[in-house]
Amino acid sequence: MATTDNGELDFEGSAEQLTSNGSTRSFGSEAVTLDSDGTDTSGEKEVDKYGFTGGAQQYPGLHAEEIPTEVLRHREAKWLEMLNSWDKWMAKKHRKVKERCQKGIPPSLRGRAWLYLTGGKVKEEQNRGKFEELDSQPGDPKWVDVIERDLHRQFPFHEMFSARGGHGQQDLFRVLKAYTLHRPEEGYCQAQAPVAAVLLMHMPAEDAFWVLVQICEKYLPGYYSTGLEAIQLDGEILHALLRRVSPMAHRHLKQHKLEPILYMTEWFMCAFSRTLPWASVLRVWDMFLCEGVKILFRVGLVLLKCMLGTQEKVKTCPGLYETMERFRAIPPHYMQESYLVQETIELSISGKDIEKEHLAQLRRWKETHGDLHYRSPPRMHGAKAVMAAEPPARQDLRQRPTIIVESPSEVDDARDTRKARRRKHKKSVLPPQEVSKTPPPQEMDKTPPLLGVPSPLLKPVSMHASKESVSSAEHDTYM
């Protein structure tokens, strides 16, 4: 990880290396051969349930937690109930929402849940058409060029982003370019790309854009601004909190003068999306988008404690170099989904603890560096704080499903109505020998409905008539 001329951190070196002819990308122990277009030519590989074909975030011996189908369906039903009355649940049963996020959001509803948790849904409704407007603009050539060079670096082992110019890279470019137009004073930071890519794995580009806006402005304000002062402050906060969590690890890092920004920048700025096994990434994000930045602090503290928390572990890292190598190759069992999530939940670090330490570090910063050059908006600790700051109106959370499946009762009712009309039609067409018995024309039924023409008795199903929505523009998922 190196610093660029404009003061931003370059993440390229921590994830990939180019050979002299630029033909091979190396991620950890994996190598991928590329053709002249940058496309993987190493042959077809089996894609896992997350869309990956293997690479830097696949760890031997680690397997994602398997949830029984009946349990998963039960959780989906609970989440659908919450999402259909989101404002009420957040106002009156936020603790239950938090508990369900800690258990893990069902994959089929993760994108929609993230959109609601961050307030992205409300923001999108209040700015309808804004993304299309930004998307249609050419963008600042300076940022466009940098973004285009970064596209192929984001999760190249994922099926969405493996092909140069594929739909995943196109959507990633659209989202990042739109953000530079939305916040021209910030522009583009390289660490935003993996965050946006994770979002695009779960939702359409417009939804991903608004969730990215909320993360940058509400959850991690100032993280992606020039100078990276906010992330440096949070590094000092992390170091101070480590003294309480693991005095041994704190003493070791202080002894070797290992600055927090050297090891925690990528963790926090990318929300661990380039560090943990993918199952753990998703669980951390579920909690992070519900409870706020304290989850990132807790995960970082858990990892530091696990790696340097005892005398025996410290002895294996006698110097600065060995310690940094340990951070680059975290033992996989510390990152295993169930272990890491449980340790994170149990760690008693609150948002108030973070804000208290933030004020202390801010005073020290002013003494040593003077005033901050970039004044970011106040940080909001989680979904409840975001909603309190911008209460949604009912129309902001309305559903507009594009595909509706009629419920079984509605299908039966419609079938019975059609059968009744056909019987009535047959009775009105009598055989020739009974013509004399037919009633006068004025007493006969009107012309029966034509085949294929909808009956006026069959009302179209409204979006509230069925709760069995297959997909919608608001919560389609690529998973």
Side-chain angles (χ1 to χ4, degrees):
M1 196 162 30
T3 305
T4 59
D5 294 338
N6 61 2
E8 294 186 359
L9 292 178
D10 182 7
F11 290 87
E12 179 182 354
S14 62
E16 63 178 291
Q17 295 176 340
L18 295 175
T19 61
S20 57
N21 60 7
S23 62
T24 301
R25 285 203 305 265
S26 176
F27 292 78
S29 59
E30 298 282 344
V32 175
T33 303
L34 305 178
D35 61 14
S36 58
D37 295 327
T39 304
D40 182 358
T41 60
S42 57
E44 293 295 328
K45 295 183 179 180
E46 185 178 351
V47 177
D48 67 16
K49 66 179 182 179
Y50 302 114
F52 288 93
T53 57
Q57 290 178 230
Q58 304 296 317
Y59 295 88
L62 287 188
H63 302 286
E65 180 182 329
E66 294 296 333
I67 303 174
T69 302
E70 59 273 15
V71 174
L72 189 59
R73 295 292 173 261
H74 189 56
R75 290 183 181 178
E76 287 175 342
K78 290 181 177 179
W79 270 94
L80 282 170
E81 179 188 357
M82 287 198 306
L83 291 167
N84 288 333
S85 304
W86 185 251
D87 52 342
K88 295 178 181 179
W89 276 85
M90 288 297 293
K92 300 179 180 179
K93 300 181 181 180
H94 176 257
R95 182 180 295 274
K96 180 63 68 174
V97 176
K98 183 174 75 171
E99 290 174 358
R100 290 177 180 175
C101 287
Q102 291 174 348
K103 289 181 180 180
I105 301 171
S108 61
L109 296 170
R110 183 167 268 127
R112 185 178 168 194
W114 287 358
L115 183 65
Y116 277 58
L117 283 166
T118 58
K121 169 68 174 173
V122 175
K123 203 79 170 177
E124 184 176 336
E125 289 296 332
Q126 292 175 347
N127 295 273
R128 182 58 61 181
K130 179 69 172 178
F131 177 73
E132 289 84 353
E133 176 188 338
L134 296 172
D135 191 29
S136 65
Q137 298 178 28
D140 187 328
K142 175 182 66 174
W143 297 125
V144 167
D145 180 60
V146 177
I147 292 170
E148 287 179 338
R149 282 185 279 135
D150 273 352
L151 294 178
H152 73 282
R153 300 170 180 168
Q154 313 311 322
F155 306 109
F157 287 98
H158 193 277
E159 59 183 350
M160 274 189 66
F161 304 104
S162 60
R164 289 246 191 198
H167 73 89
Q169 291 193 13
Q170 290 179 29
D171 282 349
L172 182 58
F173 173 79
R174 294 169 61 207
V175 170
L176 296 173
K177 184 201 72 174
Y179 188 84
T180 65
L181 293 168
H182 178 68
R183 285 285 178 265
E185 69 278 9
E186 284 191 15
Y188 166 72
C189 175
Q190 198 175 38
Q192 289 173 311
V195 174
V198 175
L199 297 175
L200 285 169
M201 293 177 194
H202 297 83
M203 61 188 74
E206 183 174 10
D207 292 352
F209 168 75
W210 288 113
V211 175
L212 178 65
V213 167
Q214 292 296 91
I215 290 174
C216 295
E217 296 181 359
K218 304 293 195 306
Y219 287 74
L220 306 174
Y223 265 37
Y224 308 106
S225 60
T226 303
L228 304 176
E229 293 174 324
I231 192 70
Q232 292 181 63
L233 270 176
D234 276 2
E236 296 302 326
I237 295 171
L238 179 71
H239 187 65
L241 293 174
L242 183 61
R243 178 184 296 174
R244 185 205 306 188
V245 174
S246 178
M248 179 71 68
H250 179 271
R251 186 162 52 250
H252 177 80
L253 294 176
K254 186 175 182 180
Q255 176 185 348
H256 293 285
K257 296 181 172 58
L258 190 54
E259 297 295 327
I261 198 170
L262 295 176
Y263 60 83
M264 57 77 66
T265 303
E266 185 175 275
W267 291 358
F268 278 53
M269 292 185 74
C270 301
F272 290 97
S273 62
R274 292 169 60 119
T275 305
L276 302 174
W278 203 251
S280 301
V281 170
L282 297 179
R283 295 290 300 279
V284 167
W285 275 53
D286 290 345
M287 296 187 292
F288 163 56
L289 297 181
C290 178
E291 302 179 56
V293 76
K294 72 179 181 184
I295 296 299
L296 301 187
F297 277 96
R298 287 183 183 179
V299 173
L301 292 168
V302 167
L303 294 179
L304 290 170
K305 180 181 178 181
C306 287
M307 289 186 287
L308 300 170
T310 66
Q311 189 67 43
E312 291 74 17
K313 293 174 182 177
V314 166
K315 286 180 180 179
T316 64
C317 303
L320 177 66
Y321 174 79
E322 292 84 1
T323 304
M324 285 299 298
E325 284 300 303
R326 173 64 66 88
F327 289 158
R328 292 190 185 100
I330 303 172
H333 55 279
Y334 295 143
M335 302 185 288
Q336 201 274 333
E337 176 187 359
S338 58
Y339 174 82
L340 182 62
V341 168
Q342 191 59 38
E343 291 292 312
T344 299
I345 293 172
E346 292 178 355
L347 196 65
S348 57
I349 296 295
S350 67
K352 290 183 179 179
D353 294 329
I354 294 169
E355 286 308 310
K356 180 179 178 181
E357 192 60 44
H358 180 267
L359 293 175
Q361 295 299 332
L362 192 58
R363 288 194 295 269
R364 292 173 189 165
W365 179 280
K366 289 182 177 180
E367 291 173 1
T368 56
H369 299 82
D371 290 332
L372 294 171
H373 293 91
Y374 179 82
R375 296 188 179 278
S376 61
R379 176 156 54 195
M380 296 185 183
H381 289 270
K384 188 174 182 180
V386 171
M387 179 169 277
E390 298 178 350
R394 183 172 296 275
Q395 62 268 25
D396 293 333
L397 296 173
R398 68 181 182 273
Q399 303 301 303
R400 291 201 307 274
T402 56
I403 302 176
I404 298 294
V405 178
E406 293 176 312
S407 65
S409 60
E410 290 168 334
V411 173
D412 292 341
D413 292 344
R415 186 185 301 112
D416 293 342
T417 303
R418 288 194 294 270
K419 286 182 178 179
R421 292 189 65 82
R422 283 198 294 269
R423 286 196 297 269
K424 194 171 184 179
H425 173 51
K426 289 179 181 179
K427 289 180 182 179
S428 66
V429 182
L430 300 178
Q433 64 270 26
E434 297 183 12
V435 172
S436 60
K437 297 180 182 180
T438 57
Q442 65 271 18
E443 296 180 17
M444 293 181 63
D445 286 341
K446 303 296 182 184
T447 304
L450 298 175
L451 184 64
V453 178
S455 166
L457 297 178
L458 298 179
K459 298 179 179 179
V461 181
S462 70
M463 63 182 180
H464 300 292
S466 170
K467 294 182 180 179
E468 299 178 85
S469 172
V470 174
S471 66
S472 79
E474 285 78 18
H475 53 85
D476 285 343
T477 176
Y478 290 112
M479 295 295 286

